[in-house]
Amino acid sequence: IPDSGHKYYLQFTTEDYKSGENAGSCLATVLYPKTMSPPVVNIKCVPTKDQKQIQEEDDKLYRKIRHQTKPITGNNIPDSYGNIEPALEPVWALAVAGSSYIMWEKSTESLGYFMAQVKSVKQWIRKDAFLEFDYTVLLHEIPTQEIISCHMRLTWLPGHPLKVKYFCASENHGLEDGSGMESGSASGILHERGANF
Amino acid sequence: MKILLVFAAFVAATCSEQLFVGDQVLRITPSDEEQIALLRMLGEQAELQADFWHHPTSPGRPTDVRVPFPSLKTVKNLLECNSISYSVMIEDVQELLDEEKKTMKSRRRVRSTNTFDFASYHTLEEIYDWMDTLVDNHSSLVSKFQIGESYENRPLYVLKFSTGGSNRSAIWLDTGIHSREWITQATGIWTANKIAEEYGQDPSVTAILDSMDIFFEIIINPDGFAFTHSSNRMWRKTRSINAGSHCVGVDPNRNWDAGFGGSGSSSNPCSETYRGPYAHSESEVKAIVDFIRSHGNVKSVISFHSYSQMLLFPYGYKRAPVPNHQELNELAKKAVSNLAAVYGTKYTYGSIVDTIYMADGTTVDWAYDNGVKYSFTFELRDTGRYGFLLPSTQIIPTATETWPALLDIMVHVLEHPY
């Protein structure tokens, strides 16, 4: 759009991260302003599951994690061979959700991300019903191919928005060169509407 | 005591496989004729079941006897009471037999490509060993040679599939240029094995190899690969030292002399897409450049990467389409459709710059600009869910579905000589 920016019209389907089943379709417009300020997004999705089903699955995930007798810790999820221990799958699922917020904030018209691996996870036991985790996640950045390491603190309770606090630094420290280094960048608290898995 | 011996003998006789648990082999050295006579008598005691491996002959000459466990005490008492010197040569015969069985089994495993586990990720050593096994098992078709050395002096091996001729038209295949893309090396092994097996069986493979040669470099970047096993699973580049920088490595897929130095690569040694100080600075890349140039008759270059599920062709360094863009596009469309037919895996296709992003100094762009009309890059599974950490359960499905697509390309090359 002349003198304004670039506008994208998107139509896409979504799938359940765990099962690969179709999870719904969405229509969206994304406007990247010339000024490089955050994009303006309009989105409308039609999920395949109803609110009740989603709530049930959230509760199931919650119970699975609460059920554990000791605070959950883990490293390298998946491991080098792509394996995820069944007991750590729920924790990986939460990491995916939390990372998606980080990736949402970091991505631009020319930079995109995937969550490559959970390097470490540690659960903090709280007195209230909320789940809290400290993560180190590795994000794969396209097209630079860089692996970005992010610390992420995540808090969640079914029916409540996912809370994510994060700090990212790139893996290849270029001390003599600023590129690829993100010191002191966005540490933000987000309220994400209706986090579903 | 005698009942026990009889019972033991009975049990041993009824078991299908004879066990020698606790049996010992004694080395007995009789000192005079009297002792020899005694030993002979021992051998005649049927219930003792003493098994002479060497028979007592003359004084001073050792005699080896296997004594079953139940008879051990009796025999040893006899020897000691008569001051006959002996030593225990084998402490437990069964243990030795078990050990031998194990060694035989493992040796058998390595000797045959039929028992190599294609559904697992392997180390550099295992893959290099397997290459020799493949050559051994298909020696009339496959040979291995070295085209150079990596930065850390590891050999760079290429497998040659040939039914003869002299400098026939050839197809070049490679995997493992980016070390963290483990699905590529794994698919490479399976595919190399498949080619060897299908020659003489599959009409297309047979037709191809009857007129053309296939060169397959399974691990372009062994230093990087070793590093992903020992230190950093996410390592992509080579392991060359960069002068004046503490950052290591060059992106081997930005180091080729095709559009070298553009915006599709980085000048920063710390970057994952660092192009290197100059084109072909990396020995891993130079070795292939030299080989293909001196061969002079390579008609196709197919390079494997992961992930994204794409089938790409030149260019990556400029927007202009290649002269035979239409042909490559049609071929990619066909290949991708046949790939999807196996398990439903969806691939996108097109030129690198249109489909993925701008990238300069890539393998296929260099090949194309050096006369190789049929240059393709595969980006294998998946689309980001596991990314580089693709579970090993997906190795064989990935290789299986990619096979028909690869064949489509190779058959097209065969049928369109130039």
Side-chain angles (χ1 to χ4, degrees), chain A residues 92-102 154 162 164 192 195-197:
Chain A
W92 177 72
L94 275 179
V96 170
S99 300
S100 69
Y101 167 62
I102 303 176
L154 185 153
L162 193 73
V164 176
E192 203 180 274
N196 300 311
F197 304 104

Side-chain angles (χ1 to χ4, degrees), chain A residues 40-57:
Chain A
V40 180
V41 177
N42 275 300
I43 183 164
K44 184 86 195 198
C45 292
V46 180
T48 49
K49 297 192 182 124
D50 59 32
Q51 192 52 40
K52 188 164 166 277
Q53 267 175 292
I54 295 171
Q55 180 77 37
E56 268 170 29
E57 288 182 12

